[in-house]
Amino acid sequence: MGIGYVLGAIGGALLVHAAYATIQYRAVLKITEEEFSHPPFDVIIQLLVGLALCMWAGVSVPAKFLSVLPHSEENRIVSLPANLDFMIFNHRGRALPSDADLKLKI
């Protein structure tokens, strides 16, 4: 297990703890009949640190980014899938005017 997984777990735990602390803080405010305006400063710091750790883990854990080669045969959009059963050409779109009908006549 790499450092990215550990940082992601710590970041997730910080986010969960910040949520729990905010819920607890709001419960205390209900008991004292005060109005909730914003969470405490330590909860905001926990959220920011947890977010940063989770983002770091999300970028570092999956793998190296590979470049996309635009001229690769695998990236061609003209290649059709093997199963053509779900291709529908008779649909409501035929009632819409085509591009030729939309041209302005002067």
Side-chain angles (χ1 to χ4, degrees):
M1 184 160 42
I3 189 78
Y5 289 108
V6 173
L7 290 179
I10 292 171
L14 277 175
L15 291 177
V16 169
H17 184 267
Y20 181 73
T22 303
I23 292 169
Q24 237 181 355
Y25 177 69
R26 289 188 70 166
V28 169
L29 288 180
K30 281 183 183 179
I31 292 172
T32 60
E33 297 179 354
E34 294 179 24
E35 187 175 327
F36 178 78
S37 59
H38 59 278
F41 184 70
D42 62 331
V43 172
I44 294 173
I45 296 299
Q46 284 181 16
L47 284 173
L48 292 176
V49 171
L51 176 69
L53 289 176
C54 286
M55 288 177 63
W56 179 269
V59 171
S60 67
V61 166
K64 287 178 24 181
F65 288 114
L66 301 176
S67 63
V68 177
L69 304 174
H71 301 295
S72 174
E73 290 298 322
E74 296 173 357
N75 294 337
R76 292 283 187 203
I77 195 147
V78 293
S79 62
L80 295 175
N83 188 357
L84 300 177
D85 292 338
F86 294 105
M87 295 184 78
I88 299 172
F89 297 104
N90 189 13
H91 52 78
R92 290 180 279 181
R94 68 173 183 252
L96 298 175
S98 64
D99 289 338
D101 296 337
L102 293 176
K103 291 184 180 177
L104 294 174
K105 295 180 183 178
I106 299 176

